[in-house]
Amino acid sequence: MGVDDRLRIRWPAPLPDGRRIVLRHRASGGTLEEPVGGDRTSVALAVGELDPGKWQVRLMAGGTDVPLLTDDPCFSFEEMRAYAGAPRDRAVRVVRSPEGHVSLRVRQVSPHAEVEAVHPGDGEIRVEGRLAYAGPRPGVPARLTAVARETRHTLTRDARLDGTEFHVCLPVDAFAAEEPALWDLFLDAGDVHARLATRLDDAPGKRGKVSFPRQLAPVGDAGDERRMSVRPYYTGRDELSIASHLVTEETQ
């Protein structure tokens, strides 16, 4: 799948004459067809305007069609990063089943801040990643906004944005100075308000599988002996958030 939303299929040897690729929408039954022409070893289909949903990719021979099979894994992280680097509101992804059947998954998308690295330590939480589906924002100041889930109170920190790549450093003390809360994280750049999440790596379901160490910080003034635990974590939607809570004897 190219950045130009064209699905390219290649075969190692020419197919028999008259073969066609058929895309069939699983829900509606609608189809899109493209003949395998030229030297009969490749075909390219424009798929950027397909309706959302799952599309089966099939090879038609005569009056019947069969599933298109491949041993290609149909996933490249670098290609996915390049694809998400362009502004778009609809994303097309090639999927290979365990049996080798090829299909397309088309879905509506909105910009998010793809998290590629999280480094908690030394009193900081450093986050690196890139804007997805928004395109570069040259000359636009960026900031990280943390929103307390219940109270909607906010904390903000400047972020560095270079093209689509962002870097931000969050001091643990800033969260320890607030009431205990779950903080959802957003990257603001111009007209983009993008939730921090990790979704392009083809590994959904990070909650309970990916964990980060907590950091402890003192609460309040020097006379306050309480401590706050501050820890980044993934939600059930693979979004990055921060949990802060007071340390008790049970949680030490």
Side-chain angles (χ1 to χ4, degrees):
M1 175 61 60
V3 176
D4 59 355
D5 277 324
R6 293 185 70 84
L7 172 65
R8 294 173 173 85
I9 305 170
R10 297 182 179 87
W11 292 269
L15 297 180
D17 195 22
R19 296 299 190 265
R20 304 175 68 85
I21 288 294
V22 179
L23 305 183
R24 180 171 293 113
H25 192 245
R26 185 172 183 177
S28 69
T31 60
L32 174 68
E33 297 187 17
E34 184 72 24
V36 182
D39 60 4
R40 305 197 306 279
T41 62
S42 65
V43 65
L45 298 88
V47 296
E49 299 300 322
L50 292 178
D51 290 338
K54 183 176 181 180
W55 291 78
Q56 299 172 331
V57 183
R58 304 181 68 86
L59 180 65
M60 178 171 285
T64 62
D65 58 74
V66 295
L68 181 70
L69 299 175
T70 185
D71 56 7
D72 189 312
C74 296
F75 179 80
S76 163
F77 183 57
E78 290 304 316
E79 291 179 0
M80 179 58 71
R81 290 172 83 190
Y83 185 83
R88 59 181 80 243
D89 57 16
R90 186 173 306 188
V92 183
R93 192 163 185 172
V94 183
V95 179
R96 177 187 181 273
S97 75
E99 298 76 25
H101 297 180
V102 180
S103 62
L104 301 180
R105 186 181 68 181
V106 184
R107 60 189 180 92
Q108 301 293 132
V109 295
S110 57
H112 74 271
E114 178 72 8
V115 174
E116 296 182 346
V118 182
H119 304 286
D122 300 323
E124 301 174 338
I125 301 172
R126 290 177 287 118
V127 184
E128 303 171 4
R130 61 189 62 226
L131 278 173
Y133 308 127
R137 287 292 190 272
V140 174
R143 65 179 183 177
L144 191 288
T145 302
V147 182
R149 198 171 295 171
E150 292 188 2
T151 65
R152 312 309 295 174
H153 182 61
T154 62
L155 293 173
T156 61
R157 284 295 182 275
D158 290 339
R160 188 170 83 249
L161 184 61
D162 182 10
T164 61
E165 296 184 17
F166 71 87
H167 305 263
V168 65
C169 181
L170 304 174
V172 169
D173 287 348
F175 295 94
E178 301 289 336
E179 293 295 322
L182 299 178
W183 299 86
D184 295 326
L185 306 179
F186 299 85
L187 184 68
D188 293 310
D191 60 346
V192 173
H193 182 62
R195 184 70 167 91
L196 268 66
T198 302
R199 294 176 175 149
L200 302 181
D201 60 358
D202 203 33
K206 294 173 180 60
R207 184 173 183 176
K209 299 177 184 177
V210 178
S211 62
F212 302 101
R214 71 175 183 172
Q215 298 184 75
L216 300 180
V219 176
D221 55 35
D224 194 333
E225 297 183 354
R226 295 178 303 165
R227 293 185 299 168
M228 188 85 80
S229 168
V230 181
R231 179 180 63 86
Y233 73 97
Y234 278 108
T235 72
R237 298 183 61 191
D238 291 329
E239 296 169 336
L240 188 69
S241 295
I242 290 178
S244 63
H245 63 265
L246 289 171
V247 176
T248 62
E249 292 183 1
E250 292 78 12
T251 58
Q252 288 189 24

